[in-house]
Amino acid sequence: MTLSTPRLTALAFLLIAAGAIAQPVYRNVDKNGKVTFSDQPPAANVQPTAPRGGGAAAGATGAGLPYELRLVVQRYPVTIYTGEDCVPCGTARSMLTTRGIPFDERIVKTNEDIDALQRLSGQNSLPLLTIGAQQLKGYSDGEWSQYLDAAGYPKSNQLPAGYNRPPAQPLVAVQQAAPPRPAAVPAPAAAPAPAPAATGPTPSNPAGIKF
């Protein structure tokens, strides 16, 4: 899909508006140890600290990435929702990997996952891509590239050597069942009471003598 210049401008404004909702707050420490908070990133010669309450998804916070790419990841985190035996999902994943986009992956597999996807996007089609608050339903190389460009992601791979993408996770976290409670141990049976001693005459004691 080809977007005209006005549509690209509107796309950029849309992404900016979506990212403003999750504007990060930066913690700056000067040379005297004074701490201040600002919505502006630290100066280029100052090591930035992690934003407080940033909108990045877990696993895509940008740790270890180049500074400019880290800012984009923190403002517009990318998450792809995929399914098993989904050919477009594999193509979409390869596109993001080849371009060097840091992203999280959520796998839709169980009925709970499907319900969660329905609540998230209003439909059950895969793949689904989110860039910040923006959703792209179905894979389209041209459309996805346009939105990634507008968000500020580099057009070529700039990931550092040795970068490891977070492993894919189920959309709905699997909760482990509680271990079964041990069966109650039955109480030992009471020993039978001894037979009362004979008090009257018996064949071996015809007189009934008590000792």
Side-chain angles (χ1 to χ4, degrees):
M1 183 181 78
T2 303
L3 298 180
S4 62
T5 300
R7 293 189 65 185
L8 280 174
T9 302
L11 171 60
F13 278 116
L14 177 62
L15 284 169
I16 291 173
I21 299 175
Q23 178 69 31
V25 177
Y26 294 89
R27 178 177 181 271
N28 302 315
V29 182
D30 63 16
K31 61 183 180 180
N32 297 321
K34 182 179 179 181
V35 179
T36 58
F37 296 93
S38 172
D39 60 354
Q40 299 297 321
N45 59 347
V46 178
Q47 181 66 26
T49 58
R52 300 180 62 194
T61 56
L65 299 178
Y67 179 75
E68 295 297 332
L69 179 57
R70 188 187 317 174
L71 294 182
V72 178
V73 170
Q74 291 172 346
R75 193 169 188 182
Y76 303 115
V78 174
T79 302
I80 183 174
Y81 299 82
T82 63
E84 295 181 326
D85 301 322
C86 171
V87 175
C89 297
T91 304
R93 186 188 304 107
S94 297
M95 177 266 192
L96 296 175
T97 302
T98 300
R99 180 162 168 169
I101 304 296
F103 66 93
D104 283 328
E105 182 175 357
R106 297 290 179 264
I107 300 176
V108 178
K109 184 176 180 180
T110 66
N111 291 333
E112 290 79 7
D113 294 335
I114 296 173
D115 292 341
L117 178 66
Q118 178 71 37
R119 292 192 297 270
L120 176 68
S121 65
Q123 61 183 38
N124 295 330
S125 62
L126 292 171
L128 170 70
L129 185 73
T130 60
I131 307 174
Q134 181 65 46
Q135 294 186 2
L136 301 178
K137 301 173 182 179
Y139 175 65
S140 170
D141 184 276
E143 184 180 21
W144 285 27
S145 296
Q146 295 282 0
Y147 275 88
L148 291 169
D149 292 346
Y153 280 97
K155 296 179 181 296
S156 59
N157 193 334
Q158 296 184 9
L159 295 177
Y163 173 81
N164 292 319
R165 181 171 61 87
Q169 300 290 335
L171 179 53
V172 177
V174 178
Q175 296 182 353
Q176 294 184 351
R181 299 179 62 183
V185 178
T199 58
T202 63
S204 60
N205 186 12
I209 300 174
K210 296 181 182 179
F211 295 94

Short mmCIF file of all heavy atoms in Angstrom, two decimals, residues 114-182:
data_model
loop_
_atom_site.label_atom_id
_atom_site.label_comp_id
_atom_site.label_asym_id
_atom_site.label_seq_id
_atom_site.Cartn_x
_atom_site.Cartn_y
_atom_site.Cartn_z
N ILE A 114 -7.09 -16.56 22.66
CA ILE A 114 -7.99 -16.07 21.62
C ILE A 114 -8.95 -15.04 22.19
O ILE A 114 -9.21 -13.99 21.57
CB ILE A 114 -8.76 -17.24 20.98
CG1 ILE A 114 -7.78 -18.18 20.25
CG2 ILE A 114 -9.82 -16.73 20.01
CD1 ILE A 114 -8.42 -19.45 19.72
N ASP A 115 -9.49 -15.31 23.38
CA ASP A 115 -10.39 -14.35 24.01
C ASP A 115 -9.67 -13.04 24.30
O ASP A 115 -10.23 -11.95 24.11
CB ASP A 115 -10.95 -14.94 25.31
CG ASP A 115 -11.90 -16.11 25.06
OD1 ASP A 115 -12.40 -16.23 23.93
OD2 ASP A 115 -12.13 -16.90 25.99
N ALA A 116 -8.43 -13.14 24.76
CA ALA A 116 -7.66 -11.93 25.07
C ALA A 116 -7.36 -11.14 23.80
O ALA A 116 -7.42 -9.90 23.79
CB ALA A 116 -6.36 -12.31 25.77
N LEU A 117 -7.05 -11.84 22.69
CA LEU A 117 -6.81 -11.16 21.42
C LEU A 117 -8.08 -10.45 20.93
O LEU A 117 -8.03 -9.33 20.42
CB LEU A 117 -6.34 -12.17 20.37
CG LEU A 117 -6.08 -11.61 18.97
CD1 LEU A 117 -4.90 -10.64 18.99
CD2 LEU A 117 -5.83 -12.73 17.97
N GLN A 118 -9.23 -11.09 21.11
CA GLN A 118 -10.50 -10.50 20.73
C GLN A 118 -10.75 -9.20 21.51
O GLN A 118 -11.19 -8.19 20.94
CB GLN A 118 -11.64 -11.50 20.97
CG GLN A 118 -13.03 -10.98 20.64
CD GLN A 118 -13.26 -10.82 19.15
OE1 GLN A 118 -12.79 -11.64 18.36
NE2 GLN A 118 -13.98 -9.79 18.76
N ARG A 119 -10.46 -9.24 22.80
CA ARG A 119 -10.66 -8.04 23.60
C ARG A 119 -9.66 -6.94 23.22
O ARG A 119 -9.98 -5.75 23.27
CB ARG A 119 -10.50 -8.38 25.09
CG ARG A 119 -11.61 -9.26 25.65
CD ARG A 119 -11.55 -9.32 27.18
NE ARG A 119 -10.31 -9.92 27.66
CZ ARG A 119 -10.15 -11.21 27.89
NH1 ARG A 119 -11.16 -12.07 27.66
NH2 ARG A 119 -9.01 -11.68 28.35
N LEU A 120 -8.46 -7.35 22.82
CA LEU A 120 -7.43 -6.38 22.48
C LEU A 120 -7.68 -5.69 21.15
O LEU A 120 -7.58 -4.46 21.04
CB LEU A 120 -6.06 -7.09 22.46
CG LEU A 120 -4.86 -6.24 22.03
CD1 LEU A 120 -4.57 -5.16 23.06
CD2 LEU A 120 -3.63 -7.13 21.84
N SER A 121 -8.02 -6.49 20.13
CA SER A 121 -8.10 -5.93 18.78
C SER A 121 -9.49 -5.93 18.17
O SER A 121 -9.71 -5.33 17.12
CB SER A 121 -7.16 -6.72 17.84
OG SER A 121 -7.61 -8.07 17.71
N GLY A 122 -10.43 -6.64 18.80
CA GLY A 122 -11.78 -6.70 18.25
C GLY A 122 -11.95 -7.76 17.18
O GLY A 122 -13.01 -7.86 16.58
N GLN A 123 -10.92 -8.57 16.93
CA GLN A 123 -11.02 -9.65 15.95
C GLN A 123 -9.99 -10.72 16.29
O GLN A 123 -9.18 -10.55 17.20
CB GLN A 123 -10.81 -9.11 14.53
CG GLN A 123 -9.44 -8.49 14.30
CD GLN A 123 -9.30 -7.91 12.91
OE1 GLN A 123 -10.22 -7.33 12.37
NE2 GLN A 123 -8.13 -8.07 12.32
N ASN A 124 -10.04 -11.82 15.53
CA ASN A 124 -9.16 -12.95 15.82
C ASN A 124 -8.11 -13.18 14.75
O ASN A 124 -7.45 -14.22 14.74
CB ASN A 124 -10.00 -14.24 15.97
CG ASN A 124 -10.91 -14.19 17.18
OD1 ASN A 124 -10.60 -13.54 18.17
ND2 ASN A 124 -12.05 -14.85 17.10
N SER A 125 -7.91 -12.25 13.84
CA SER A 125 -6.96 -12.45 12.75
C SER A 125 -5.54 -12.20 13.23
O SER A 125 -5.29 -11.37 14.11
CB SER A 125 -7.29 -11.52 11.58
OG SER A 125 -7.19 -10.17 11.97
N LEU A 126 -4.61 -12.93 12.64
CA LEU A 126 -3.18 -12.81 12.94
C LEU A 126 -2.41 -12.68 11.62
O LEU A 126 -2.88 -13.16 10.58
CB LEU A 126 -2.69 -14.03 13.71
CG LEU A 126 -3.23 -14.21 15.13
CD1 LEU A 126 -2.83 -15.57 15.68
CD2 LEU A 126 -2.73 -13.10 16.05
N PRO A 127 -1.24 -12.04 11.64
CA PRO A 127 -0.61 -11.42 12.81
C PRO A 127 -1.22 -10.06 13.13
O PRO A 127 -1.90 -9.45 12.31
CB PRO A 127 0.84 -11.26 12.36
CG PRO A 127 0.73 -11.05 10.88
CD PRO A 127 -0.40 -11.94 10.43
N LEU A 128 -0.95 -9.61 14.34
CA LEU A 128 -1.32 -8.27 14.80
C LEU A 128 -0.05 -7.59 15.27
O LEU A 128 0.75 -8.20 15.99
CB LEU A 128 -2.34 -8.35 15.93
CG LEU A 128 -2.66 -7.04 16.67
CD1 LEU A 128 -3.44 -6.11 15.76
CD2 LEU A 128 -3.44 -7.31 17.95
N LEU A 129 0.16 -6.35 14.86
CA LEU A 129 1.34 -5.59 15.27
C LEU A 129 0.88 -4.34 16.01
O LEU A 129 -0.06 -3.67 15.58
CB LEU A 129 2.18 -5.17 14.06
CG LEU A 129 3.51 -4.46 14.38
CD1 LEU A 129 4.53 -5.46 14.92
CD2 LEU A 129 4.07 -3.75 13.16
N THR A 130 1.52 -4.06 17.14
CA THR A 130 1.27 -2.81 17.85
C THR A 130 2.57 -2.01 17.89
O THR A 130 3.63 -2.54 18.18
CB THR A 130 0.74 -3.03 19.27
OG1 THR A 130 1.71 -3.78 20.03
CG2 THR A 130 -0.57 -3.80 19.26
N ILE A 131 2.46 -0.72 17.58
CA ILE A 131 3.58 0.22 17.66
C ILE A 131 3.11 1.32 18.59
O ILE A 131 2.34 2.19 18.19
CB ILE A 131 3.96 0.78 16.28
CG1 ILE A 131 4.21 -0.35 15.27
CG2 ILE A 131 5.18 1.68 16.40
CD1 ILE A 131 4.44 0.14 13.85
N GLY A 132 3.53 1.27 19.82
CA GLY A 132 2.94 2.17 20.80
C GLY A 132 1.48 1.82 20.97
O GLY A 132 1.12 0.68 21.25
N ALA A 133 0.60 2.80 20.78
CA ALA A 133 -0.84 2.56 20.90
C ALA A 133 -1.48 2.21 19.56
O ALA A 133 -2.68 1.93 19.50
CB ALA A 133 -1.53 3.79 21.49
N GLN A 134 -0.69 2.22 18.47
CA GLN A 134 -1.24 1.96 17.14
C GLN A 134 -1.29 0.47 16.84
O GLN A 134 -0.33 -0.25 17.12
CB GLN A 134 -0.37 2.66 16.08
CG GLN A 134 -0.85 2.49 14.65
CD GLN A 134 -2.19 3.15 14.42
OE1 GLN A 134 -2.40 4.28 14.83
NE2 GLN A 134 -3.08 2.46 13.76
N GLN A 135 -2.40 -0.01 16.29
CA GLN A 135 -2.56 -1.41 15.92
C GLN A 135 -2.61 -1.56 14.40
O GLN A 135 -3.28 -0.79 13.71
CB GLN A 135 -3.86 -1.99 16.51
CG GLN A 135 -3.87 -2.08 18.02
CD GLN A 135 -5.12 -2.79 18.53
OE1 GLN A 135 -5.96 -3.24 17.75
NE2 GLN A 135 -5.25 -2.90 19.84
N LEU A 136 -1.88 -2.56 13.90
CA LEU A 136 -1.90 -2.91 12.48
C LEU A 136 -2.36 -4.35 12.37
O LEU A 136 -1.66 -5.26 12.82
CB LEU A 136 -0.51 -2.72 11.85
CG LEU A 136 0.09 -1.32 11.94
CD1 LEU A 136 1.47 -1.30 11.32
CD2 LEU A 136 -0.82 -0.30 11.26
N LYS A 137 -3.53 -4.56 11.78
CA LYS A 137 -4.13 -5.89 11.72
C LYS A 137 -3.84 -6.52 10.36
O LYS A 137 -4.16 -5.97 9.31
CB LYS A 137 -5.64 -5.79 11.94
CG LYS A 137 -5.99 -5.15 13.28
CD LYS A 137 -7.48 -4.89 13.43
CE LYS A 137 -7.78 -4.20 14.76
NZ LYS A 137 -9.23 -3.91 14.92
N GLY A 138 -3.21 -7.71 10.40
CA GLY A 138 -2.82 -8.37 9.16
C GLY A 138 -1.48 -7.85 8.68
O GLY A 138 -1.13 -6.68 8.92
N TYR A 139 -0.72 -8.70 8.00
CA TYR A 139 0.62 -8.31 7.58
C TYR A 139 0.60 -7.64 6.23
O TYR A 139 0.01 -8.15 5.26
CB TYR A 139 1.55 -9.52 7.53
CG TYR A 139 2.92 -9.17 6.99
CD1 TYR A 139 3.74 -8.30 7.68
CD2 TYR A 139 3.36 -9.69 5.78
CE1 TYR A 139 4.99 -7.94 7.19
CE2 TYR A 139 4.61 -9.36 5.28
CZ TYR A 139 5.43 -8.48 5.99
OH TYR A 139 6.66 -8.14 5.50
N SER A 140 1.25 -6.47 6.15
CA SER A 140 1.47 -5.77 4.90
C SER A 140 2.84 -5.12 5.00
O SER A 140 3.04 -4.21 5.83
CB SER A 140 0.39 -4.71 4.65
OG SER A 140 0.76 -3.87 3.56
N ASP A 141 3.78 -5.57 4.20
CA ASP A 141 5.14 -5.06 4.27
C ASP A 141 5.18 -3.55 4.11
O ASP A 141 5.84 -2.84 4.88
CB ASP A 141 6.01 -5.74 3.21
CG ASP A 141 7.47 -5.32 3.31
OD1 ASP A 141 7.82 -4.26 2.76
OD2 ASP A 141 8.26 -6.05 3.94
N GLY A 142 4.44 -3.05 3.11
CA GLY A 142 4.46 -1.61 2.87
C GLY A 142 3.86 -0.81 4.01
O GLY A 142 4.42 0.19 4.45
N GLU A 143 2.71 -1.26 4.51
CA GLU A 143 2.05 -0.52 5.59
C GLU A 143 2.87 -0.57 6.88
O GLU A 143 3.04 0.45 7.55
CB GLU A 143 0.66 -1.10 5.84
CG GLU A 143 -0.14 -0.33 6.89
CD GLU A 143 -1.52 -0.93 7.10
OE1 GLU A 143 -1.72 -2.11 6.77
OE2 GLU A 143 -2.39 -0.21 7.63
N TRP A 144 3.37 -1.75 7.22
CA TRP A 144 4.17 -1.86 8.44
C TRP A 144 5.41 -0.97 8.34
O TRP A 144 5.79 -0.32 9.31
CB TRP A 144 4.58 -3.31 8.68
CG TRP A 144 3.47 -4.17 9.20
CD1 TRP A 144 2.13 -4.01 9.00
CD2 TRP A 144 3.60 -5.35 10.00
NE1 TRP A 144 1.42 -5.01 9.62
CE2 TRP A 144 2.30 -5.84 10.25
CE3 TRP A 144 4.68 -6.04 10.53
CZ2 TRP A 144 2.06 -7.00 11.00
CZ3 TRP A 144 4.46 -7.19 11.28
CH2 TRP A 144 3.15 -7.65 11.52
N SER A 145 6.06 -0.97 7.17
CA SER A 145 7.26 -0.14 6.99
C SER A 145 6.94 1.34 7.15
O SER A 145 7.71 2.09 7.76
CB SER A 145 7.88 -0.41 5.62
OG SER A 145 8.34 -1.75 5.51
N GLN A 146 5.80 1.76 6.62
CA GLN A 146 5.41 3.17 6.71
C GLN A 146 5.23 3.59 8.16
O GLN A 146 5.69 4.66 8.59
CB GLN A 146 4.11 3.41 5.93
CG GLN A 146 4.20 3.19 4.43
CD GLN A 146 4.87 4.37 3.72
OE1 GLN A 146 5.27 5.34 4.34
NE2 GLN A 146 5.00 4.27 2.41
N TYR A 147 4.57 2.76 8.95
CA TYR A 147 4.34 3.10 10.34
C TYR A 147 5.63 3.05 11.16
O TYR A 147 5.85 3.89 12.04
CB TYR A 147 3.30 2.16 10.96
CG TYR A 147 1.88 2.60 10.71
CD1 TYR A 147 1.19 2.20 9.57
CD2 TYR A 147 1.22 3.43 11.62
CE1 TYR A 147 -0.12 2.60 9.34
CE2 TYR A 147 -0.08 3.84 11.39
CZ TYR A 147 -0.76 3.43 10.25
OH TYR A 147 -2.04 3.84 10.02
N LEU A 148 6.50 2.07 10.88
CA LEU A 148 7.78 2.01 11.58
C LEU A 148 8.64 3.22 11.23
O LEU A 148 9.33 3.77 12.10
CB LEU A 148 8.50 0.71 11.23
CG LEU A 148 7.87 -0.57 11.77
CD1 LEU A 148 8.51 -1.80 11.13
CD2 LEU A 148 7.98 -0.65 13.29
N ASP A 149 8.61 3.65 9.96
CA ASP A 149 9.34 4.85 9.54
C ASP A 149 8.83 6.06 10.30
O ASP A 149 9.61 6.88 10.81
CB ASP A 149 9.19 5.07 8.04
CG ASP A 149 9.89 4.01 7.21
OD1 ASP A 149 10.71 3.26 7.77
OD2 ASP A 149 9.59 3.92 6.00
N ALA A 150 7.50 6.21 10.36
CA ALA A 150 6.91 7.38 11.01
C ALA A 150 7.21 7.40 12.50
O ALA A 150 7.33 8.47 13.10
CB ALA A 150 5.39 7.38 10.78
N ALA A 151 7.34 6.21 13.13
CA ALA A 151 7.67 6.15 14.55
C ALA A 151 9.12 6.51 14.81
O ALA A 151 9.49 6.82 15.95
CB ALA A 151 7.37 4.75 15.09
N GLY A 152 9.96 6.47 13.77
CA GLY A 152 11.35 6.84 13.93
C GLY A 152 12.32 5.67 13.98
O GLY A 152 13.50 5.85 14.28
N TYR A 153 11.84 4.45 13.67
CA TYR A 153 12.74 3.30 13.66
C TYR A 153 13.66 3.37 12.45
O TYR A 153 13.23 3.78 11.35
CB TYR A 153 11.95 2.00 13.64
CG TYR A 153 11.42 1.61 15.00
CD1 TYR A 153 10.12 1.91 15.37
CD2 TYR A 153 12.23 0.96 15.93
CE1 TYR A 153 9.63 1.57 16.64
CE2 TYR A 153 11.76 0.61 17.18
CZ TYR A 153 10.46 0.92 17.53
OH TYR A 153 10.00 0.59 18.78
N PRO A 154 14.94 2.99 12.60
CA PRO A 154 15.86 3.04 11.46
C PRO A 154 15.44 2.07 10.37
O PRO A 154 14.84 1.04 10.63
CB PRO A 154 17.20 2.64 12.09
CG PRO A 154 16.85 1.88 13.33
CD PRO A 154 15.58 2.48 13.84
N LYS A 155 15.78 2.43 9.13
CA LYS A 155 15.40 1.59 7.99
C LYS A 155 16.31 0.38 7.84
O LYS A 155 15.95 -0.58 7.16
CB LYS A 155 15.44 2.43 6.70
CG LYS A 155 14.42 3.57 6.67
CD LYS A 155 14.54 4.36 5.38
CE LYS A 155 13.56 5.50 5.33
NZ LYS A 155 12.16 5.04 5.32
N SER A 156 17.48 0.41 8.46
CA SER A 156 18.41 -0.72 8.39
C SER A 156 18.76 -1.17 9.80
O SER A 156 18.57 -0.44 10.79
CB SER A 156 19.68 -0.33 7.62
OG SER A 156 20.33 0.76 8.26
N ASN A 157 19.27 -2.37 9.90
CA ASN A 157 19.56 -2.99 11.18
C ASN A 157 20.69 -2.25 11.90
O ASN A 157 21.80 -2.14 11.40
CB ASN A 157 19.95 -4.46 10.97
CG ASN A 157 19.96 -5.25 12.26
OD1 ASN A 157 20.15 -4.72 13.35
ND2 ASN A 157 19.74 -6.56 12.15
N GLN A 158 20.38 -1.74 13.10
CA GLN A 158 21.38 -1.07 13.92
C GLN A 158 21.54 -1.74 15.28
O GLN A 158 22.10 -1.14 16.21
CB GLN A 158 21.01 0.42 14.11
CG GLN A 158 21.01 1.23 12.83
CD GLN A 158 20.73 2.70 13.07
OE1 GLN A 158 20.69 3.17 14.20
NE2 GLN A 158 20.53 3.45 11.99
N LEU A 159 21.05 -2.96 15.40
CA LEU A 159 21.17 -3.67 16.67
C LEU A 159 22.63 -4.03 16.93
O LEU A 159 23.37 -4.38 16.01
CB LEU A 159 20.33 -4.94 16.64
CG LEU A 159 18.82 -4.75 16.55
CD1 LEU A 159 18.12 -6.10 16.45
CD2 LEU A 159 18.29 -3.97 17.74
N PRO A 160 23.07 -3.95 18.18
CA PRO A 160 24.46 -4.30 18.49
C PRO A 160 24.70 -5.79 18.30
O PRO A 160 23.78 -6.60 18.37
CB PRO A 160 24.60 -3.89 19.96
CG PRO A 160 23.21 -3.96 20.51
CD PRO A 160 22.31 -3.55 19.38
N ALA A 161 25.95 -6.14 18.06
CA ALA A 161 26.31 -7.55 17.91
C ALA A 161 26.01 -8.28 19.22
O ALA A 161 26.24 -7.77 20.31
CB ALA A 161 27.79 -7.67 17.57
N GLY A 162 25.46 -9.46 19.08
CA GLY A 162 25.12 -10.24 20.26
C GLY A 162 23.78 -9.91 20.86
O GLY A 162 23.45 -10.43 21.93
N TYR A 163 22.99 -9.05 20.19
CA TYR A 163 21.67 -8.72 20.73
C TYR A 163 20.78 -9.96 20.72
O TYR A 163 20.70 -10.68 19.73
CB TYR A 163 21.02 -7.62 19.88
CG TYR A 163 19.58 -7.34 20.27
CD1 TYR A 163 19.28 -6.52 21.35
CD2 TYR A 163 18.53 -7.90 19.55
CE1 TYR A 163 17.97 -6.27 21.70
CE2 TYR A 163 17.21 -7.65 19.90
CZ TYR A 163 16.94 -6.83 20.98
OH TYR A 163 15.63 -6.58 21.32
N ASN A 164 20.13 -10.22 21.83
CA ASN A 164 19.24 -11.37 21.95
C ASN A 164 17.81 -10.87 22.14
O ASN A 164 17.51 -10.16 23.09
CB ASN A 164 19.63 -12.25 23.15
CG ASN A 164 20.96 -12.94 22.93
OD1 ASN A 164 21.25 -13.43 21.85
ND2 ASN A 164 21.79 -12.99 23.97
N ARG A 165 16.95 -11.26 21.22
CA ARG A 165 15.55 -10.87 21.32
C ARG A 165 14.88 -11.67 22.44
O ARG A 165 15.16 -12.85 22.62
CB ARG A 165 14.84 -11.13 19.98
CG ARG A 165 13.37 -10.74 19.98
CD ARG A 165 12.82 -10.82 18.57
NE ARG A 165 12.90 -12.16 18.02
CZ ARG A 165 11.96 -13.08 18.20
NH1 ARG A 165 10.90 -12.81 18.95
NH2 ARG A 165 12.08 -14.28 17.65
N PRO A 166 14.00 -11.03 23.21
CA PRO A 166 13.30 -11.77 24.27
C PRO A 166 12.53 -12.95 23.68
O PRO A 166 11.97 -12.85 22.59
CB PRO A 166 12.34 -10.73 24.87
CG PRO A 166 12.94 -9.40 24.50
CD PRO A 166 13.60 -9.61 23.18
N PRO A 167 12.50 -14.08 24.34
CA PRO A 167 11.76 -15.24 23.82
C PRO A 167 10.27 -14.96 23.77
O PRO A 167 9.74 -14.16 24.55
CB PRO A 167 12.09 -16.35 24.83
CG PRO A 167 12.46 -15.63 26.09
CD PRO A 167 13.13 -14.36 25.65
N ALA A 168 9.60 -15.60 22.81
CA ALA A 168 8.15 -15.44 22.68
C ALA A 168 7.45 -15.97 23.92
O ALA A 168 7.87 -16.97 24.51
CB ALA A 168 7.66 -16.15 21.43
N GLN A 169 6.37 -15.30 24.29
CA GLN A 169 5.61 -15.68 25.46
C GLN A 169 4.14 -15.87 25.07
O GLN A 169 3.66 -15.24 24.13
CB GLN A 169 5.71 -14.59 26.54
CG GLN A 169 7.12 -14.29 27.02
CD GLN A 169 7.69 -15.44 27.84
OE1 GLN A 169 6.94 -16.22 28.42
NE2 GLN A 169 9.01 -15.53 27.90
N PRO A 170 3.40 -16.71 25.80
CA PRO A 170 1.96 -16.82 25.53
C PRO A 170 1.27 -15.51 25.86
O PRO A 170 1.70 -14.75 26.74
CB PRO A 170 1.50 -17.96 26.47
CG PRO A 170 2.55 -18.01 27.54
CD PRO A 170 3.84 -17.61 26.88
N LEU A 171 0.20 -15.21 25.13
CA LEU A 171 -0.52 -13.97 25.36
C LEU A 171 -1.08 -13.92 26.77
O LEU A 171 -1.02 -12.89 27.45
CB LEU A 171 -1.65 -13.82 24.33
CG LEU A 171 -2.53 -12.57 24.45
CD1 LEU A 171 -1.68 -11.31 24.48
CD2 LEU A 171 -3.52 -12.52 23.30
N VAL A 172 -1.63 -15.03 27.22
CA VAL A 172 -2.14 -15.13 28.59
C VAL A 172 -1.16 -15.97 29.39
O VAL A 172 -0.86 -17.10 29.00
CB VAL A 172 -3.55 -15.76 28.63
CG1 VAL A 172 -4.03 -15.91 30.07
CG2 VAL A 172 -4.53 -14.92 27.82
N ALA A 173 -0.64 -15.43 30.46
CA ALA A 173 0.35 -16.13 31.26
C ALA A 173 -0.23 -17.43 31.80
O ALA A 173 -1.39 -17.46 32.25
CB ALA A 173 0.83 -15.26 32.42
N VAL A 174 0.55 -18.49 31.71
CA VAL A 174 0.11 -19.79 32.20
C VAL A 174 0.29 -19.83 33.71
O VAL A 174 1.39 -19.57 34.21
CB VAL A 174 0.92 -20.92 31.54
CG1 VAL A 174 0.48 -22.27 32.09
CG2 VAL A 174 0.74 -20.88 30.03
N GLN A 175 -0.77 -20.13 34.41
CA GLN A 175 -0.70 -20.23 35.86
C GLN A 175 -0.54 -21.69 36.26
O GLN A 175 -1.32 -22.54 35.82
CB GLN A 175 -1.95 -19.64 36.51
CG GLN A 175 -2.12 -18.15 36.26
CD GLN A 175 -3.34 -17.58 36.96
OE1 GLN A 175 -4.12 -18.33 37.52
NE2 GLN A 175 -3.49 -16.28 36.92
N GLN A 176 0.45 -21.98 37.06
CA GLN A 176 0.68 -23.36 37.48
C GLN A 176 -0.35 -23.75 38.53
O GLN A 176 -0.68 -22.98 39.43
CB GLN A 176 2.08 -23.50 38.07
CG GLN A 176 3.19 -23.27 37.06
CD GLN A 176 4.55 -23.50 37.66
OE1 GLN A 176 4.69 -23.67 38.86
NE2 GLN A 176 5.56 -23.53 36.81
N ALA A 177 -0.87 -24.96 38.37
CA ALA A 177 -1.87 -25.45 39.32
C ALA A 177 -1.22 -25.70 40.67
O ALA A 177 -0.05 -26.09 40.76
CB ALA A 177 -2.51 -26.73 38.81
N ALA A 178 -1.98 -25.48 41.72
CA ALA A 178 -1.47 -25.72 43.07
C ALA A 178 -1.22 -27.21 43.26
O ALA A 178 -1.96 -28.05 42.73
CB ALA A 178 -2.47 -25.21 44.10
N PRO A 179 -0.16 -27.58 43.96
CA PRO A 179 0.13 -29.00 44.16
C PRO A 179 -1.00 -29.66 44.95
O PRO A 179 -1.61 -29.03 45.82
CB PRO A 179 1.44 -29.00 44.96
CG PRO A 179 1.49 -27.63 45.59
CD PRO A 179 0.81 -26.71 44.64
N PRO A 180 -1.32 -30.92 44.65
CA PRO A 180 -2.41 -31.58 45.35
C PRO A 180 -2.09 -31.74 46.83
O PRO A 180 -0.94 -31.96 47.21
CB PRO A 180 -2.51 -32.94 44.65
CG PRO A 180 -1.15 -33.16 44.05
CD PRO A 180 -0.65 -31.79 43.68
N ARG A 181 -3.11 -31.61 47.62
CA ARG A 181 -2.94 -31.78 49.06
C ARG A 181 -2.76 -33.26 49.39
O ARG A 181 -3.44 -34.12 48.81
CB ARG A 181 -4.15 -31.22 49.81
CG ARG A 181 -4.37 -29.74 49.58
CD ARG A 181 -5.61 -29.25 50.33
NE ARG A 181 -5.45 -29.44 51.78
CZ ARG A 181 -6.41 -29.15 52.65
NH1 ARG A 181 -7.58 -28.67 52.22
NH2 ARG A 181 -6.20 -29.34 53.94
N PRO A 182 -1.85 -33.61 50.30
CA PRO A 182 -1.65 -35.03 50.62
C PRO A 182 -2.90 -35.62 51.25
O PRO A 182 -3.63 -34.96 52.00
CB PRO A 182 -0.48 -35.00 51.61
CG PRO A 182 -0.49 -33.61 52.17
CD PRO A 182 -0.98 -32.72 51.06
#
